């Protein structure tokens, strides 16, 4: 008993509508297998654990609230003490000449010509 | 590449340059995944004009190497190692052993019979 081809094609068509697949009786390569693939991006990016900074995130979420940041306070306190002892960071130089003038001479470095004493 | 790298550190845990690089690649892959897949679809679809498919091939091959998913490598989240990493636990084999013996990994027990 043979079934006419047209009938088989009609069956295929209904099958495709039911299972939501592409009707492709000639078996052309339409690249649908690529569209069927899941996007792997989200699972790829989640590999490494995220950085969690509770205080900073709280501050960002509630800018009007005062959140105590112990580490930051400690750092600022330490800076203040250092500055009092004269061990703070040097002031930012504004011009190239200013920075060159105040440059510390390191051992092994030639003395600038202007600074050498006339002998 | 530095143009893709985050300006501030956005991953916790163990961090070294390899991990930062791999994490950057992962983000870029996720960002360009749809673009790559659509180009791949055009290339594989034989019903589209040949010229269009050739152009898509060229475009895909000219995309930055960081957008390629094969650039991503699973590294140990505890020590940054790139070899001998158990992907189920995201840890190198020795880190896995130490953590498993210490009981830090739920459901893992040393076999004994």
């Amino acid at each position: 008993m043979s079934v006419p081809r047209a009938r088989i094609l009609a069956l295929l068509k209904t099958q495709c509508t039911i299972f939501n697949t592409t009707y492709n009786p000639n078996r052309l390569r339409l690249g649908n297998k690529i569209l069927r693939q899941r996007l792997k991006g989200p699972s790829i990016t989640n590999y490494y654990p995220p950085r969690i900074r509770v205080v900073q995130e709280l501050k960002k979420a509630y800018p009007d609230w005062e959140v105590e940041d112990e580490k930051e306070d400690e750092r600022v306190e330490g800076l203040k003490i250092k500055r009092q002892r004269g061990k703070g960071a040097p002031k930012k130089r504004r011009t190239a000449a200013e920075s060159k003038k105040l440059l510390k001479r390191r051992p092994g470095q030639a003395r600038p010509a202007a600074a050498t004493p006339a002998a | 590449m530095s143009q893709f790298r985050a300006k501030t550190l956005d991953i916790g845990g163990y961090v070294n340059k390899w991990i930062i690089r791999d994490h950057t690649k992962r983000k870029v892959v996720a960002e360009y995944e749809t673009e790559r897949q659509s180009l791949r679809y055009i290339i594989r679809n034989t019903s589209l004009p040949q010229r269009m498919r050739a152009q898509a091939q060229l475009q895909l091959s000219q995309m930055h190497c960081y957008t390629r998913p094969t650039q991503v490598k699973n590294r140990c989240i505890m020590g940054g190692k790139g070899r001998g990493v158990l992907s189920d636990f995201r840890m190198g084999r020795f880190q896995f052993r130490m953590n498993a013996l210490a009981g830090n990994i739920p459901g893992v027990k040393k076999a004994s019979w």
Side-chain angles (χ1 to χ4, degrees), chain A residues 6-76:
Chain A
R7 190 145 173 75
I8 288 178
L9 288 183
L11 177 69
L12 263 178
K13 207 163 196 175
T14 42
Q15 198 181 11
C16 287
T17 50
I18 290 167
F19 294 110
N20 199 19
T21 49
T22 325
Y23 177 63
N24 183 13
N26 299 330
R27 292 167 186 171
L28 296 169
R29 287 168 188 254
L30 299 177
N32 274 309
K33 70 171 190 181
I34 288 167
L35 297 187
R36 257 184 278 126
Q37 283 169 1
R38 286 187 304 118
L39 290 179
K40 286 181 262 169
S43 60
I44 284 179
T45 38
N46 287 343
Y47 185 82
Y48 296 108
R51 189 186 189 191
I52 298 160
R53 298 146 84 207
V54 179
V55 176
Q56 277 89 340
E57 275 162 33
L58 270 178
K59 263 188 186 171
K60 218 176 196 180
Y62 304 99
D64 326 328
W65 288 21
E66 199 155 301
V67 188
E68 198 163 316
D69 189 348
E70 243 175 70
K71 253 190 175 168
E72 176 70 11
D73 289 346
E74 225 166 78
R75 191 183 73 86
V76 170

Side-chain angles (χ1 to χ4, degrees), chain B:
Chain B
M1 297 281 161
S2 60
Q3 78 255 33
F4 298 122
R5 204 179 300 141
K7 294 287 175 282
T8 50
L9 189 68
D10 53 352
I11 40 174
Y14 186 85
V15 172
N16 63 12
K17 67 170 179 178
W18 305 108
I19 284 195
I20 292 175
R21 186 173 300 172
D22 191 49
H23 182 63
T24 310
K25 282 179 183 176
R26 280 166 190 275
K27 284 193 292 186
V28 176
V29 166
E31 192 185 332
Y32 286 92
E33 193 178 19
T34 44
E35 194 179 329
R36 279 193 84 91
Q37 288 292 75
S38 45
L39 285 175
R40 259 158 52 80
Y41 169 71
I42 293 168
I43 292 165
R44 302 293 161 87
N45 194 341
T46 49
S47 66
L48 292 172
Q50 192 60 45
R51 189 185 163 75
M52 186 180 175
R53 291 174 61 201
Q55 274 176 344
Q57 271 182 354
L58 196 68
Q59 213 173 324
L60 187 67
S61 66
Q62 280 175 347
M63 281 180 83
H64 199 279
C65 68
Y66 271 32
T67 61
R68 217 170 290 152
T70 53
Q71 288 269 326
V72 163
K73 172 127 183 110
N74 283 357
R75 301 195 76 91
C76 174
I77 55 167
M78 304 295 283
K81 284 224 176 276
R83 290 191 184 198
V85 175
L86 305 174
S87 54
D88 284 345
F89 302 99
R90 301 183 288 167
M91 260 178 235
R93 57 193 169 85
F94 191 65
Q95 284 290 346
F96 168 70
R97 185 184 144 82
M98 298 312 271
N99 280 291
L101 290 178
N104 296 337
I105 309 173
V108 175
K109 202 179 167 198
K110 192 172 166 67
S112 167
W113 63 87

